[in-house]
Amino acid sequence: MKFNFLSTEIVSLAIISTFACSNLGSELSFSPEYALRRVRESGQVVINPAVKAKYAELFGDKEINGRKISVEQTIAAVTTALGPEIAQVLNARRQLLASPASVKDKYAWPKWDDKFEDADGNVRTFREIVQGAIDNFLGRDTPLRWRLNDKVPIPDDAHPLKNPGLELTGPWEPLDMAMNQLNADVAVAFEDEEDASPRWYVPFGMPAGTLPAVFQGRQNVKDILEGKWGDGTNPVAYTVVKKGETRTYTIQKPRDQWPTIFHRVAGNHLLDPYITVNGKPAPAMFISHVLHALNNYGSLKKAGDGLYYYEPKIQTPQEALIVEKTLRRLEGLIGLKPGTIKIAMLYEEGNAGRFLVPIAWVLRDRLIKWSDGRWDYLGSLIEMWKDEAVFPDPQTITMTSPNMMAYQRYSGLIMAMVSMKYGQVTNGGKVGGMAAVMLYPQTDPYGRFKNNPKALRAMKMDKLRERLSHLIFVPDEPLNGQQVTLEEVLAGKVKGKLYDFLRQSWVATKDDAYVAAGNTPLRAALADLQAMIDAPIETVTIDGKTVPTVTSGLIPPERQLFQTLGLLNENGKIRVWVVTKEQFDSPEKLYTQELWESIYAVPKGDITIEHLQHAFYMAANYGFQILNGNLAAAIDDYELGLRFMNDLATYRIFVAWLWTALHHQAKITKDGYLKSPKLTELGVIPAENAFQVKAGTRFTPELFEKLWNYHNLWTAAFFAEQDRRGEPARFDRSKAPIIMEILKHQLTAPRYIQHSARVLFVLAEANDRERQQLMEAIFSPSREEVIRKIQAGQLDPFVLVVHDYIYDLR
């Protein structure tokens, strides 16, 4: 059997034995050769031979700070010690998701006497941890008081408030992606092994011997940091053929001018089948941390930088503790003081918000910032409510929606409270969320580049809104509800402390004009922000509609929105966010039911057939690219007429929403139409009214079948138009019916899958027979049913480990 996900160094039966043998009974037996090999491998790290041969530099012994450290032994030690803890937290996630309790009960704020533990064995209750954060905010020196980064200060190059500008994320494989990040005018470049990573699976049909691209990405990081590709003073050219033309790339900046480099690790839910410990695939998060630290610490130190990580998907203090223990081990091996390795966190899970203060407490020695989520965060809210309610179309829930603004403000407030030191925010900062809109190239066959001014304006407004939303003012005296403007604070008319708390935010593309649009409000001096609001209005006309330029002052609808959000007063002056010490001088005043409702309650909005069709379009298009091995995908959004960079969060949110809508047979709230494909100025898009759906109609399996069929019509029309233009296909078209088959199974399945894209990682590697077996196992009503079919000879044994991986059973 040739199935990369399961048969790299260990055959499929070996994994089955590790995960599930005891559950299958005596129906399955294993050869003596297999048993002997398991004894030989027990307690050892096994690396896929092809990976080890090609990327030998990543493994073996490393000399660091005069110490000889084995990469393999470190992986084994961390995995053996902490792997069981990952299994525990994933089991807790699964139980929470499946719990029949109401959302308001199972996702309530923690109880005041709930206890949490840090890496030093200290145990505090939720009340004590929150009180300690409040004491820090109020400037009280108490035994409970704590704050971030007190033991080892944040290095200047990593400090989120000392390096304003955008953070650019993306894979470092292919190599030109890495060079583009380093050449961009951004504050941070973080190479990604998570949502938009180079893949760690090999799509079926790739040439024999193809290895997962994640290892080449790791090699590129090592090579770049060691100087093998030079820099702006001694550039080394990288030449590659892209889209039929030869292109040459170099790193254009001197090393001391590069953006600060963070390493975005894999989430704790992912496994790396190419590296096994005791016969089991190792948790990918351990591989990400260890390989980066042991291969790159020396190069980073030589350049005056440090080890900095971006940590994704953390939901609880227990999950944060695994991260802390992992990094403590690495610090101990390398000879670093605890807290030297610094991290940023993605606050992208709704469940994490309940535990945000305890999570920060567990990570207090090293957490320097956290970023807002967008699609992943909204997807997690849909998951929380999956058994009780259907959200309105997620495309209509923007970052300016009330629940998303409440989430961002809560995130900023907590970070401010736990990072203040001596009346200043010096020990941490807040990062904004992703702006995923991309510019169209001038070569776009439909001329969609005409919409680029919209994208540039959207970028600037997004980052300006984020900056203004986090101007936190703590007055010296009670103001009794008085509004305060930034102008008054800067002029000294109102006494207190102003915290300019958000100076960094995310971006997904390196285009110079786009990056400049986002950098401008993040890097502007406080005194210049009002002038940005009041600048003369400048517009361009696109399809008969007036659009403000990137440098324009606010037009009336923008001004009205900022006033509604509380960022401007009725005279158009910037309002600061007044936070008084009396507001939050006790835990009960902070964690109220009102706050919970503002963040977690289901928002109001419509469910339309057009948006259901659009969500399916987005899920199918991104899923098609995953099956082809592309995790960072540009997709044309026909509703907005813009192009967006998409990652795994795209698939998660739209699959989650469609699953809940179909699971509840959601009621359509407006008259509308399923659309058939039509060639328009935006290309072939669903544009022709074809099947009317009246308000009140339920989203039944029958209606879903019609939607599914209309998307097949669009796919055929899209490919036909591609052929008419003579445009070469970038991806294997045979994957199109596969993603449609997978989506039909996934959306109609009775069981919800949290990390839905993992289904695609596994199925992408399978041939037709394997894929059918896997889908039958993955979408079976229960694990017991899978075992029954294996025992009856209806399914091959290898499918059980895949089933368990998909559902986080370890």
Side-chain angles (χ1 to χ4, degrees), residues 57-58 175 179 219-231 234-238 251 258 299:
E57 290 182 48
L58 297 177
L175 188 59
M179 292 180 171
Q219 185 68 53
N220 288 346
V221 174
K222 179 177 172 64
D223 289 346
I224 286 173
L225 294 178
E226 288 179 348
K228 292 181 180 179
W229 289 100
D231 60 17
N234 60 338
V236 179
Y238 168 67
I251 299 174
W258 289 6
S299 299

Side-chain angles (χ1 to χ4, degrees), residues 641-652:
L642 295 171
R643 188 180 187 221
F644 287 82
M645 177 57 69
N646 293 266
D647 60 20
L648 297 181
T650 300
Y651 194 74
R652 177 185 183 184

Side-chain angles (χ1 to χ4, degrees), residues 104 108-109 588 590-599:
K104 290 188 176 183
W109 300 127
E588 287 82 1
L590 178 59
Y591 282 103
T592 64
Q593 187 60 28
E594 181 183 12
L595 176 64
W596 192 97
E597 294 286 346
S598 70
I599 297 173

Side-chain angles (χ1 to χ4, degrees), residues 97 382-383 385-390 607 612 654-667 698-701 704 744 746-753:
L97 206 60
I382 292 171
E383 288 173 354
W385 286 95
K386 65 181 177 59
D387 297 320
E388 292 185 36
V390 181
I607 299 173
L612 288 164
F654 288 119
V655 167
W657 185 58
L658 289 166
W659 187 91
T660 59
L662 194 53
H663 181 71
H664 290 279
Q665 296 193 13
K667 186 182 293 186
R698 293 285 183 176
F699 189 48
T700 62
F704 169 72
K744 178 174 281 190
Q746 194 158 13
L747 297 177
T748 59
R751 284 198 290 172
Y752 179 80
I753 298 173

Side-chain angles (χ1 to χ4, degrees), residues 22 41 59 131 219 233 249 251 334 454 580 606 617 796:
S22 62
E41 291 180 359
F59 302 100
Q131 186 64 61
Q219 185 68 53
T233 59
Y249 300 86
I251 299 174
I334 296 171
K454 294 181 183 178
T580 67
D606 287 307
Y617 165 93
D796 291 343

Side-chain angles (χ1 to χ4, degrees), residues 191 289 350 363 367 418 492 603 669 774:
E191 33 94 14
H289 282 107
L363 299 171
L367 178 63
V418 301
T669 59
L774 288 169

